[in-house]
Structures are given as C-alpha cells and as structure tokens.
Amino acid sequence: MFISTTILIVYLFPKSGKFKYNFERGKPWQSENLYAPFNFAIKKSEEEISAEKNKILEQSVLYFNIDNTVRKKINNLYDNQFKSVFSDSISKVESTLLFTTGKNIISELYKYGVLSEDYEFDKNKAVVILDNRVKKQTTSFDNLITQNEISAHISKHLVKHNFLNYKTDFVALFFDIIEPNLSYDKAFTERALQSELSKISYARGSVEKETLLISKGEVVEGDKFLKLKSLQSEYESQVWSDANYNLILFAYTLLVSLALLMLLLFLRKYRSDVFENNTKVTFIFFNIFLMVLITTLVVNYNSQYIYVVPICILPLIFKAFFDARLGLFAHVITVLLLGSIVPNSYEYMFLQIIAGIVTILTVSELYKRANLFISVGQITLIYIIAYFAFFVIHEGSAESLNWETFLLFILCGLATLFVQPLIYAYEKLFGLVSDVSLLELSDTNSKLLKELANVSPGTFHHSLNVANLAEASANEIGANAMLVRVGALYHDIGKMVNPNYFTENQSTGINPHDELTSKESAEIITDHVINGIEIARKNNLPDRVIDFIRTHHGTSVVYYFYMKEKGINANVEKADFSYPGPKPFSKETAILMMCDSVEAASKSLKNPTSTKINDFVENIINKQIDEGQFLNANITFKEIESIKKVLKRKLANIYHLRIEYPE
C-alpha cells in the first residue's frame, strides 16, 4: 500500500524541475538579488501575443475566385432577351436608353462580382479577387454584390434615368440571366492567415548570463516580471533534459515516500490498532491520494480555483472514523505533499494547515447537523481572514483586493458539507463506523433492540440503565460517549437465547438454575457472551460494537456458582466458571465493564445510604482492578476515580437519597 500510493502520487506530480523562487506580479521580490544563470529569451506576455493575433485576424484578407466567363455570357443573354422583354411599342430613342441602362446595371453588378452565397463577414474586411490564383483586384467585402442586393441596384439606376415604371420588366429580365461569378476560397484564406500568424515572434529580446534580473525588495512588475516568467519557463522546460528526468522522478519519490513513511511511523507508534488493520490503512492512503488527485486536476485546469477544493474534508473524515490527532497529522502530511503542486505554496500550506487545525478544534459530535454547518462557517471565516492578511502583507493595502477569491472560499465551505454523504459511502465501502452510524444504532426502536425488549424485558431495562451510566462516565473522562452508549445497549443481547436463566427476567419466582448443576448454570451464564457475538454478526453490527459484547465481563468469574461448587468440590477448576474474555482493551470497553457490574449488583442493595453506595462502588471496581481486568485498557487511575464518582452520584439519584433532617 505504501509503495502503490507513492507511485500514484508521484505519477500525478509535474515531471519537470520546479523553479525554486515564488513571485507574483505587483509584489516585492522576497529573495536575494537574482542573476541570470544562463542566456535566455524574454518571452512576450500572453496579453501581447493575444493582441498581435487579434490584430492579424482583424487585418486578415478574404480571397475569392472569379469566373471570367460569366460576364461575357450575361452580356450575350442580355442582348438576345432584351427585345423579347420590351415591346415594339416603345420608341426607338427610349428603347436605346433602356438598353444602355441595362448594360450599365450589368457593368455595375460585375464591377467586382456577384457572390455565390451570402457570407457573414465584416463589411470593411479586405478582399482579394483571384483569377486563376493570380491577384486581379483588391476591394472591401462591402463592394461585393449579394443575390439579395441585385433588386436594389436595379432600382437605383432606373430612378436615376426616370425609368422606375420599367422596374418589373428589368427585374424579370435579370432574374433569368444574372449568375454569380465569385466564390469564397476558404482553404487559400486559411493558409494565408496561418502564414501571417506563423510570423509572430514569441520573444522580445534576450538576457545574457550573469545579468542582474531583480534586486531584493524590488516590486515584480513590467519588464522584470516578464524576465522572471521567461526564466521560470526556460528553467522548467529546456534546462531539464531527458537525462535529468529520472533524477527528478527519484527526488519526487523520495519526498513523497518520506512524507508517507512519517504517517506510517505515527500509526505504528500511536495508533497500533489502525496500523495493524489493512482496511484502515488503505482507507487513509486512499483519501490522501484522492485529495492529491483532485487538487492536481484543478491546478492543471486553472490554478486560480485551487481554493475551491475542500481539503478540510480530510480531517473531518479521519476524525469521524478515528480521532482528532490522526486527522490533523494526516491533513498536515497531505498539505505538505500538495505544496509541490500548487503555486504560492507557502501561502497555500499556511491557509490549509490553519483551516485543518480549526476543523479539528471546532467540529464535535459530527452526527449533529447544526454542528457541521457552524464548523464549516468558522472554517470559511478563517480562510477569508488568513487570505486577507496575506494579501495586505504582499500588497501593502486592501484597495486591489480580489473579492472573487472570497467567493471561492464560500464555495469550498459548501463543498465541505459533502462530507456527510461521503462518510455514509465510506462506511459501506470500507466497513467502518462513524458517530452517525452509532446514532442510528442507538435508536431503541431498531429491530434488534425491540426484540430484546420483547424477549428479555429485564435485560433491556438493565441495558438502558447501563447505557445512561456509561455515557455519563465517558463524558466525564473525555471518552467516546456515543460509542460506549451503543455498546451498552447491545452488550447483553446474548441473553435472548435463554432469558429465563437471568434474574432480571425471572418474574414468576421460579429459578431454572435450581434444576442444574453449578457448572451447567455457569456455562449458560457465560455463553451469553458467545451467543451475543453470533446474534450481533447475524444482524450486521459493527466490530466496534461487538467488542463491547466480547469484553464486558473480561475474564472474570461467575462468582456465585463458583463458590457454590467450591462448597461441594474443593478442587474445582476456576477456568470452568470464567468468561472467555478478552479483557477490555480501550477506555470505552473498560467503562462498560465497570458500569455493567455496578448496575447489576446495585439491585441487591437493601436500605441504601450514601455510605453503602460509596463502599459498594469502591468494592466492585477495586475487585476488578485487583483481578487485572483493566491492564490492557488505556485508562488511568485518575480516570477510574472520576468514573467512581459519577457512578456514586448516579446511584444516589436513582435511589432518591436525601439528607436526614433533625426531627
């Protein structure tokens, strides 16, 4: 997994050398005086090149081919058809004038030519008319006649000679004989345009080696900015030849593997349970790779949108499934990796790390929807404040502040809200459990808990009491209260197999253990752990919840039946009357063991007083400590004492103890 993730991330990284200086237009040069390390050309800016291209496009020429045979053909047709259109009743003088007018109209129409179709070109566009690929004449597109303009030209000439009453005759005549003689030569026009574009120079001079490019503190603008951009481009492309490619690749691999190795070492030292679980390690590496992939795609598309990528989803997800410390550590590692991809890496990393810290500090109880919205609002505010501070530091004022960047931060905050459906998807894909799932499992109307309430009502009531005690205890010492509550609700579901063999479910006064040997009774009692695990697996309960079923009695002894058997047989094996274990291995499972024992035994208290309850809680929990039940749990003596105080206070409330007033 380590090697695969390293290869995938390095594959996404740029394979050229990275210019070691960060700079922005209009901001001071922060590094020492920079001299040209080699000769290089000063490249024109994108705006300059774009302006030159636009100018060439505006001044480009349109080429049309002319058919010289058309005009001669039109003249012959006109000579032949004129007499058939105009009657002999017209006087000879008028007929001559009409004939001459028609000739003038033809000359006017074919002065430059008639277009074969309508083209949507600028009327001022220059036009070259070609005759057999040879330039014949030059004009503007506005002088070329379209089919729709023929009637207007006829009217203009007829008005001039007061022959407007003959318009219908002329239009009918020309409609039959007029033909286009100009056709647009698109291929020739495109070749001519490309030829002009190819003449554009992308450089505007050169810089000699050892020339001072910029001094420390100077503002990066104008010609200095162009020189720096040219040097950066040259440095990242031409300087790094094929011979350097493998070396650059090796260097990136070292950096990525070093970062991921730190994460693995952290897991091994402080989160061994996660380190030993391949699914969880895969989940962590997958999310880191996913963030690198998304950021790389955005940078390649347009680097100004990098702040839209919701990097803070990462600590949110890791906190939901693991803990805050792991979430922050993984977030920092990811941001360090992204520093090799994004522009202005220092500013980017500062903003993202601060935002990650705020995410960890503000997000609590993610299953509460309001908390997520509040946290996302705080994260967005931190982004805006930090960006504003950086901008003022670089610019010296806030006058030219780009307000669109604030919109990007708001979009990033909205995208962070996607963490809720993402957590649900991850739960299904990786089989992990978050607080959101635990909240669903804590619903007492769920199928399994309703079955427990129907089959074993006493056990269900006991589980509710234990859940309340355990939740209060977990809150006291900062453990996962939601997890321990769910574990408490399901810890005794195994009693549904033989409910009548447990005292809390015996309502008839008949005890079935009276007909069994002590060993058989102990076996039925201890089997509720195994039965509970089987029922939990059939109902697809998460492993984190099943852990509470396995450990809530640890390796303790069924003391009542053990002592009963010992009274009969002094050589009794203690293992025959012990639970299979294992012992609790977390704060939450240790809390459940304490609360379960105290709640169950509290039913035997007669005439409880504060002193009795104090001694009672002390004896039960101290006995568990003496038996070594908490040796595998990361719980301290101080935390155990805090739990004792909570249990004493809760039991006093349950039994409604009051101080005794003097009579």
Side-chain angles (χ1 to χ4, degrees):
M1 181 55 57
F2 170 78
I3 294 172
S4 301
T5 308
T6 301
I7 292 172
L8 288 171
I9 292 177
V10 171
Y11 176 77
L12 296 174
F13 276 19
K15 302 304 185 297
S16 62
K18 187 174 176 66
F19 193 52
K20 62 181 179 179
Y21 300 103
N22 286 321
F23 62 93
E24 290 185 62
R25 186 197 294 268
K27 297 181 180 180
W29 179 255
Q30 301 292 336
S31 306
E32 297 298 323
N33 295 353
L34 179 62
Y35 296 87
F38 46 77
N39 298 337
F40 65 92
I42 304 173
K43 295 183 178 180
K44 293 179 181 177
S45 66
E46 296 275 342
E47 294 80 8
E48 286 179 300
I49 295 172
S50 178
E52 289 186 29
K53 287 182 177 179
N54 290 334
K55 185 177 181 180
I56 290 174
L57 288 173
E58 289 173 4
Q59 297 177 352
S60 63
V61 177
L62 301 174
Y63 290 87
F64 287 83
N65 293 316
I66 189 169
D67 186 352
N68 287 320
T69 63
V70 171
R71 183 168 181 177
K72 184 177 181 181
K73 177 183 175 182
I74 300 303
N75 283 322
N76 291 334
L77 289 171
Y78 178 76
D79 293 343
N80 295 330
Q81 295 186 25
F82 178 80
K83 291 181 180 180
S84 62
V85 172
F86 294 94
S87 63
D88 295 336
S89 60
I90 302 174
S91 65
K92 189 172 182 180
V93 175
E94 190 174 15
S95 176
T96 303
L97 288 173
L98 285 173
F99 182 80
T100 305
T101 300
K103 282 287 188 180
N104 291 336
I105 292 173
I106 293 174
S107 297
E108 180 71 21
L109 291 175
Y110 288 96
K111 180 180 180 182
Y112 296 104
V114 178
L115 293 170
S116 59
E117 57 181 282
D118 291 339
Y119 299 98
E120 295 182 356
F121 294 121
D122 188 338
K123 64 180 183 179
N124 296 318
K125 200 81 169 170
V127 169
V128 171
I129 298 174
L130 301 174
D131 184 5
N132 292 323
R133 299 291 180 181
V134 177
K135 180 179 178 181
K136 182 180 180 180
Q137 57 183 331
T138 303
T139 184
S140 65
F141 183 73
D142 189 40
N143 291 327
L144 305 184
I145 308 298
T146 65
Q147 300 280 353
N148 296 329
E149 294 172 343
I150 293 175
S151 178
H153 277 271
I154 294 172
S155 299
K156 184 177 71 173
H157 280 270
L158 295 177
V159 169
K160 185 177 179 182
H161 296 90
N162 295 319
F163 290 145
L164 196 59
N165 54 323
Y166 293 104
K167 179 180 177 181
T168 303
D169 296 325
F170 271 106
V171 170
L173 172 61
F174 286 132
F175 181 81
D176 291 333
I177 66 173
I178 293 296
E179 292 182 15
N181 66 335
L182 291 179
S183 59
Y184 176 53
D185 194 335
K186 184 177 180 181
F188 194 92
T189 302
E190 288 291 333
R191 285 198 300 272
L193 177 61
Q194 292 302 321
S195 176
E196 291 298 317
L197 290 174
S198 65
K199 295 176 183 178
I200 294 177
S201 173
Y202 288 84
R204 52 182 302 181
S206 61
V207 175
E208 296 294 324
K209 184 178 179 180
E210 300 299 331
T211 302
L212 177 64
L213 298 178
I214 192 167
S215 302
K216 185 175 181 179
E218 280 191 87
V219 177
V220 180
E221 58 184 359
D223 192 51
K224 295 185 184 299
F225 177 75
L226 292 177
K227 289 180 181 179
L228 290 173
K229 290 296 289 185
S230 301
L231 176 60
Q232 182 183 31
S233 176
E234 194 78 15
Y235 194 89
E236 294 180 352
S237 57
Q238 296 180 11
V239 173
W240 302 100
S241 61
D242 293 338
N244 299 101
Y245 179 83
N246 292 332
L247 188 61
I248 296 170
L249 202 64
F250 176 70
Y252 271 128
T253 304
L254 283 180
L255 289 178
V256 174
S257 58
L258 189 62
L260 295 180
L261 181 62
M262 294 303 103
L263 180 58
L264 280 179
L265 292 175
F266 171 83
L267 294 176
R268 183 179 178 184
K269 185 173 179 62
Y270 296 106
R271 300 292 181 270
S272 57
D273 57 324
V274 177
F275 180 78
E276 293 167 2
N277 189 312
N278 287 339
T279 301
K280 292 179 179 179
V281 175
T282 302
F283 174 74
I284 293 170
F285 280 12
F286 171 77
N287 277 279
I288 292 174
F289 169 73
L290 185 63
M291 283 300 160
V292 175
L293 173 63
I294 294 173
T295 305
T296 304
L297 293 175
V298 171
V299 169
N300 290 339
Y301 174 71
N302 192 335
S303 61
Q304 72 179 23
Y305 295 127
I306 55 172
Y307 288 115
V308 176
V309 181
I311 300 295
C312 287
I313 278 184
L314 203 62
L316 279 173
I317 289 174
F318 288 158
K319 186 177 181 181
F321 288 113
F322 304 111
D323 60 83
R325 191 174 177 187
L326 173 57
L328 182 59
F329 195 91
H331 175 73
V332 171
I333 292 293
T334 306
V335 172
L336 290 176
L337 290 173
L338 294 176
S340 300
I341 301 174
V342 299
N344 302 321
S345 54
Y346 172 74
E347 179 179 317
Y348 176 85
M349 289 192 293
F350 184 91
L351 259 66
Q352 296 296 359
I353 291 175
I354 290 295
I357 293 172
V358 172
T359 302
I360 293 297
L361 294 177
T362 59
V363 176
S364 59
E365 298 178 328
L366 192 59
Y367 56 87
K368 294 182 180 179
R369 290 171 294 180
N371 287 358
L372 179 60
F373 280 96
I374 293 170
S375 297
V376 166
Q378 292 172 331
I379 293 165
T380 305
L381 182 62
I382 290 297
Y383 271 131
I384 292 173
I385 293 172
Y387 175 79
F388 175 80
F390 267 110
F391 189 89
V392 172
I393 290 171
H394 290 317
E395 300 290 339
S397 70
E399 293 178 1
S400 58
L401 191 64
N402 187 1
W403 297 101
E404 291 180 2
T405 308
F406 292 166
L407 179 61
L408 297 182
F409 291 136
I410 294 172
L411 291 175
C412 177
L414 294 175
T416 306
L417 295 174
F418 185 69
V419 71
Q420 284 284 20
L422 194 60
I423 286 174
Y424 177 78
Y426 280 151
E427 287 176 339
K428 301 304 178 186
L429 288 173
F430 292 91
L432 300 172
V433 183
S434 69
D435 284 351
V436 180
S437 291
L438 292 176
L439 181 64
E440 294 175 359
L441 290 171
S442 67
D443 183 8
T444 54
N445 287 316
S446 64
K447 181 181 176 182
L448 188 55
L449 290 180
K450 286 177 77 173
E451 184 181 354
L452 177 64
N454 292 330
V455 176
S456 308
T459 300
F460 178 71
H461 185 261
H462 159 73
S463 298
L464 287 177
N465 290 337
V466 173
N468 292 331
L469 292 174
E471 184 176 20
S473 300
N475 284 325
E476 185 69 22
I477 66 171
N480 191 330
M482 180 60 68
L483 176 62
V484 75
R485 179 175 181 81
V486 173
L489 289 172
Y490 291 92
H491 79 283
D492 270 346
I493 57 174
K495 291 182 179 180
M496 288 193 294
V497 176
N498 295 302
N500 293 329
Y501 285 86
F502 299 89
T503 55
E504 66 265 26
N505 298 315
Q506 294 170 0
S507 58
T508 61
I510 299 173
N511 190 344
H513 288 287
D514 294 340
E515 300 176 3
L516 301 175
T517 64
S518 298
K519 190 173 181 180
E520 289 173 336
S521 295
E523 187 175 348
I524 291 173
I525 298 297
T526 56
D527 277 352
H528 87 272
V529 172
I530 304 301
N531 294 332
I533 294 171
E534 292 176 357
I535 293 171
R537 294 201 186 282
K538 286 179 182 177
N539 286 273
N540 297 318
L541 289 185
D543 288 337
R544 291 176 76 186
V545 176
I546 295 175
D547 287 340
F548 286 91
I549 301 173
R550 294 165 55 213
T551 61
H552 73 278
H553 284 295
T555 57
S556 61
V557 177
V558 184
Y559 196 72
Y560 175 81
F561 291 109
Y562 171 69
M563 294 305 295
K564 183 178 178 182
E565 182 68 19
K566 195 171 184 181
I568 302 171
N569 179 12
N571 297 323
V572 63
E573 289 288 338
K574 200 171 186 179
D576 294 336
F577 293 85
S578 298
Y579 285 94
K583 296 176 180 179
F585 46 78
S586 66
K587 287 182 181 180
E588 288 77 17
T589 51
I591 289 170
L592 178 61
M593 172 179 270
M594 290 182 243
C595 296
D596 181 42
S597 300
V598 168
E599 203 285 331
S602 68
K603 298 295 188 293
S604 64
L605 280 175
K606 296 177 181 179
N607 302 319
T609 62
S610 295
T611 304
K612 281 186 179 181
I613 289 175
N614 290 347
D615 294 341
F616 168 76
V617 172
E618 290 286 345
N619 290 336
I620 289 178
I621 295 180
N622 287 341
K623 183 180 179 182
Q624 291 173 337
I625 295 172
D626 293 339
E627 291 175 354
Q629 296 296 334
F630 306 133
L631 290 177
N632 296 333
N634 58 334
I635 192 166
T636 64
F637 282 116
K638 182 179 179 181
E639 289 169 337
I640 292 174
E641 290 300 318
S642 298
I643 293 169
K644 286 180 182 179
K645 291 178 182 178
V646 172
L647 294 177
K648 292 172 185 177
R649 185 175 69 250
K650 287 289 183 181
L651 286 178
N653 292 336
I654 290 171
Y655 289 107
H656 305 289
L657 295 182
R658 298 286 188 271
I659 60 172
E660 295 181 7
Y661 292 97
E663 295 182 3

